[in-house]
Amino acid sequence: MPDHAPCTHLATHDVSNQPPVSGDRDLLREDLPLAEGLAREAPAWVAERLAPLACNAGRESWQVLADEANHYPPELRTFDRHGRRLDEVHYTPAYHHLMHLACGGGWHGVAWEHEGAGGHQAHIAALYLLTQVEPGFCCPITMTHAAYPVLRQDSAVLATWGPRLLAHDYDPRALPIGDKRAATFGMAMTEKQGGSDVRSNTTRATPNADGSVRLTGHKWFCSAPMSDAFLTLARDEAGIGCFLVPRFRPDGERNGILLQRLKDKCGNRANASAEIEYADAWAQPIGAPGRGIATILDMVQQTRLDAATAPAGMMRQALREAWHHAQGREAFGKRLADQPLMQRVIADLALETEASLALCLRTARAFDGAPHDDHERALARLLPALAKFWHNKRGPAFMAEAMECLGGIGYVEEAPLARLYREAPVNSIWEGSGNVMCLDVMRVLGRHPECIVALRQELALARGAHHDFDRALGMLERRLDATPETLEAQARWLTQRLAQCLQAALLLRHAPNAVGETFCTARLGDEATPLFGVLPAQAPLAAILARINP
């Protein structure tokens, strides 16, 4: 047999007409709407503390870890090799690096360290940045953050768990709380038969002599099942109660939290969600007996604001990817970034991103002001549901449009847009679907008239700034005067329009005229359409596009 020479691969073409590798970014310095929003809404310390995170989170190496965490999703380890129950979730090291990025900076606890003094604004801005690294791992960050106001309802519980919840550290080890440096929290509310209707829950709480309880039942979705403790709802003699369920009982043995399986989800693949059984699980009551739903609402309000912020962060990442591609790619003799239709699409995406961020930051300021200001307290009651509903309704269409800007390369898994597209629906479903959000908005407006007063005051601050805005306010006022039955039938329209009008008011007051006026015409004018890229003929595209990456 003759010897064969090694095969030589000849280049068939040059790789050209592709955008350059984006490289490391400073996610605060390059985000003018975020920098302006923080300067407007937050104390100076917030931007100063965020600056190192923004620089670090923009490194390309984090995207490599995000890809790994999604490519190798968590695995359930039910038993050890001897057949003993483990009920543990195994993650790739990349996931733990992502958790260290968030917890090491204390972003899960910053709202409570600086409560009433910019803490919520710091948390929301950090979540907006962390989402641009990888949205999935932000779920346990959100729930750990949101658990704190519930823990404060019991001084003994707070003394044990509070310091570890606030620790600037991440400790993934499965150990009793006394052996942990830091703790994370999950939640387990919904059951198969009820979903959002938690009043139909059947999990039973049986009292022990020492005041603790034993839980027996199932939970259809348990978020972040690797957490050190869970807040859950169960039924006792007084009704539906709220309970804290630790991974380990006080005697150091594993608690009766049996992980049945991990959910195989459309997106959010770096994060685990599980079906669980409570098999005589030890738990502590928190809050008043029979008032579990009211008790847990302290947590839900927090998680809803986070669920409104995540799509804003995802929009920013998708916008940045689309604009970077358009600037580095030519078609039909000129750059995509110079094509009139592409400019209109990306400018419209930029408007949506800026409007969503503005509403998130304003809501966070309301959270910070709520303890000492009636106006801010009224806004804090209403705005999370508004923002969560509308930002998440815009998210999937936004991701699809941004993906289309890249063409086929946007649809492949190497690009983050495919991951963002699969991720987009989850925050709409989590913590209450769209209909639940709209019904909550109607409930707040019906039971808390001070919320309507506060919202009208906010909207009135921009009255007279744009004719389409003024006309939209007039129509909104007429609809709000309808009967309760009519209001519920129009709940989706009202919730959408309230959110859009508030976004418009914020942009008219605080953004450049090019942004605020174009947003009003495109969203509230005669030719308003849900289709991205339909902007007024004379829209100042250059001024809007210049704000994407100044």
Side-chain angles (χ1 to χ4, degrees), residues 63-64 66-72 134 265-269 317 321 403 406-423:
Q63 290 304 308
V64 175
D67 287 341
E68 181 181 329
N70 279 272
H71 190 69
Y72 300 101
E134 158 52 35
K265 296 172 290 184
C266 166
N268 198 245
R269 300 189 68 82
Q317 184 181 9
E321 290 287 332
M403 184 186 295
L406 275 69
I409 197 172
Y411 193 65
V412 300
E413 289 295 338
E414 288 118 320
L417 288 169
R419 188 171 75 236
L420 292 174
Y421 182 73
R422 286 187 282 102
E423 186 77 20

Side-chain angles (χ1 to χ4, degrees), residues 266-343:
C266 166
N268 198 245
R269 300 189 68 82
N271 178 50
S273 302
E275 297 171 28
I276 67 171
E277 296 286 337
Y278 289 134
D280 212 29
W282 186 93
Q284 293 174 273
I286 295 184
R291 296 282 296 165
I293 296 174
T295 299
I296 210 67
L297 282 178
D298 280 342
M299 184 178 193
V300 169
Q301 278 294 85
Q302 302 294 328
T303 54
R304 284 181 176 174
L305 177 53
D306 281 25
T309 302
M314 293 163 63
M315 288 178 190
R316 172 62 187 176
Q317 184 181 9
L319 171 67
R320 193 175 64 237
E321 290 287 332
W323 188 228
H324 177 73
H325 181 85
Q327 290 177 306
R329 176 82 166 172
E330 288 188 5
F332 310 112
K334 59 182 177 181
R335 293 190 316 160
L336 289 176
D338 298 325
Q339 307 269 2
L341 281 179
M342 182 63 78
Q343 287 180 339

Side-chain angles (χ1 to χ4, degrees), residues 11 16 18 27 66 144 156 193 210-211 245 255 258 269 279 360 375 378 386 391 401-402 409 447 482 487 508 524-525:
S16 61
Q18 295 287 347
L27 298 184
T144 302
Q193 72 283 352
D210 62 0
V245 193
N255 207 357
L258 308 182
R269 300 189 68 82
C360 289
H375 177 77
L386 279 179
H391 295 175
E401 198 70 62
I409 197 172
R447 297 181 184 178
L487 281 177
L508 286 171
L524 306 175

